[in-house]
Amino acid sequence: MLKGGLISLKAAISSLKPTEQKAAKYILENPEEVVNSSVQRVAVLAGVSEATLIRLCRSLNFKGFQELKLRIAADMSKNTDELDSYQEIQIDGPISELIASISHNNMRSIQDTLTVLSNESLEKAIDVMSKAKKIVIFGVGASAVIAMDLKQKLTRINYWCETGLGLDEQATLAVNMDERDVAFGISYSGQTKDVIHSLELARENGAVTLSLTRFGSNPVASAAEINLFTSSLENSIRSGAMASRIAQLNVIDILYVGIARKDHERHVKSLEKTRKAVSKNT
């Protein structure tokens, strides 16, 4: 069943244009009314044009207003509290509360991501990465940890993979890429200037470009041809940096296994060879 209409709206609202934001706010405040109304009526009630509602649906990567309604209806059929269930991290509470709230938020972030992650985009990403001569991953700060995790995984199955974790290194790698290569930019905010610049350089040199960002319109996603999105809606800055990382790592695991199963026998042999090589040093 299609779902994730309300989550998608919440995740993308800060990146929407003002008129789309106005429509999104009305829909979030009046989901039941929207589900039972035509696009014309919702436009009147929200004080926007029908064209704005259609653009809003496109910004959410939905086919149209009917899909948005179907997704919202599916959301409403679930426990409504589930949509707002991120828990604030209490730094002065007992350890049991700390364990429960952090674990809950991490699971919630993965579940929310599943509603905005496109199967079609994932298949495209897996396909181009599995065929690439070289894969270069760009990430700064916390996203560098995600980049290194993917590099380690791909290296284990004998892919030529590089990571650019700073502007000079990223730019150097990007300008030496060509049409046989894939450039992968990771930035949860979607605003990291170094990653944007590196993706643009890689694309100018013919490389296929991918991105992994938070859901919605953002400069990093705009610089890439294939976009993968995650969602994390918790309010706390403290928990945001943690749950969003878990959601990103989950997408990385999906990509890795998707690539590995393309030529399962060969990749299993590579894993065994690297396991033996590493075990000799322990």
Side-chain angles (χ1 to χ4, degrees), residues 120-132 159 182 208 210 226 255 258-259 262:
E120 182 181 357
S121 295
L122 266 172
E123 287 180 353
K124 287 180 180 178
I126 289 167
D127 187 56
V128 297
M129 292 176 77
S130 65
K131 296 175 181 176
Y159 275 85
V182 170
V208 178
L210 314 179
I226 302 171
L255 281 174
I259 294 167
K262 283 281 188 178

Side-chain angles (χ1 to χ4, degrees), residues 139-179:
V140 176
S143 293
V145 177
I146 312 299
M148 291 297 294
D149 182 75
L150 181 55
K151 178 187 176 179
Q152 190 270 343
K153 285 179 166 66
L154 292 178
T155 302
R156 288 289 304 273
I157 56 174
N158 200 27
Y159 275 85
W160 181 8
C161 188
E162 303 280 356
T163 51
L165 310 180
L167 179 57
D168 290 349
E169 185 181 15
Q170 288 180 6
T172 300
L173 288 166
V175 296
N176 285 299
M177 299 182 76
D178 59 35
E179 65 279 355

Side-chain angles (χ1 to χ4, degrees), residues 11-239:
I13 195 166
S14 63
S15 66
L16 297 172
K17 295 177 180 177
T19 54
E20 292 177 15
Q21 278 191 2
K22 183 179 180 182
K25 287 177 182 176
Y26 176 82
I27 294 170
L28 286 169
E29 292 169 2
N30 305 275
E32 191 169 342
E33 181 74 37
V34 171
V35 167
N36 295 302
S37 300
S38 65
V39 64
Q40 294 86 355
R41 177 168 171 75
V42 173
V44 171
L45 293 172
V48 299
S49 67
E50 292 176 35
T52 295
L53 288 175
I54 300 304
R55 285 196 300 271
L56 171 61
C57 294
R58 288 175 182 164
S59 296
L60 299 174
N61 297 323
F62 296 163
K63 293 177 181 177
F65 187 69
Q66 189 62 27
E67 181 179 341
L68 175 61
K69 286 174 60 175
L70 288 170
R71 288 179 179 272
I72 292 173
D75 291 339
M76 292 173 64
S77 70
K78 300 158 62 179
N79 185 339
T80 54
D81 290 341
E82 189 178 342
L83 295 171
D84 299 301
S85 60
Y86 282 97
Q87 298 177 5
E88 199 68 32
I89 306 300
Q90 301 297 328
I91 59 174
D92 55 353
I95 190 66
S96 59
E97 287 185 9
L98 187 66
I99 293 169
S101 56
I102 291 177
S103 300
H104 177 85
N105 288 351
N106 287 341
M107 290 186 287
R108 183 77 251 155
S109 184
I110 291 175
Q111 290 169 342
D112 286 351
T113 291
L114 295 179
T115 68
V116 300
L117 190 61
S118 163
N119 291 348
E120 182 181 357
S121 295
L122 266 172
E123 287 180 353
K124 287 180 180 178
I126 289 167
D127 187 56
V128 297
M129 292 176 77
S130 65
K131 296 175 181 176
K133 177 189 176 186
K134 177 174 63 179
I135 298 169
V136 178
I137 313 167
F138 305 124
V140 176
S143 293
V145 177
I146 312 299
M148 291 297 294
D149 182 75
L150 181 55
K151 178 187 176 179
Q152 190 270 343
K153 285 179 166 66
L154 292 178
T155 302
R156 288 289 304 273
I157 56 174
N158 200 27
Y159 275 85
W160 181 8
C161 188
E162 303 280 356
T163 51
L165 310 180
L167 179 57
D168 290 349
E169 185 181 15
Q170 288 180 6
T172 300
L173 288 166
V175 296
N176 285 299
M177 299 182 76
D178 59 35
E179 65 279 355
R180 299 169 295 176
D181 304 327
V182 170
F184 189 5
I186 301 176
S187 168
Y188 180 68
S189 69
Q191 305 289 333
T192 311
K193 291 181 180 179
D194 293 0
V195 174
I196 298 165
H197 179 61
S198 300
L199 283 175
E200 290 173 343
L201 283 175
R203 194 167 181 175
E204 287 171 9
N205 284 277
V208 178
T209 49
L210 314 179
S211 71
L212 176 61
T213 70
R214 68 183 301 169
F215 184 70
S217 300
N218 61 72
V220 171
S222 297
E225 299 161 84
I226 302 171
N227 301 134
L228 304 175
F229 293 111
T230 60
S231 174
S232 182
L233 299 174
E234 67 274 70
N235 296 319
S236 170
I237 293 175
R238 293 189 300 273
S239 59

Side-chain angles (χ1 to χ4, degrees), residues 276-282:
K276 288 180 179 178
V278 171
S279 65
K280 290 179 181 179
N281 297 320
T282 58

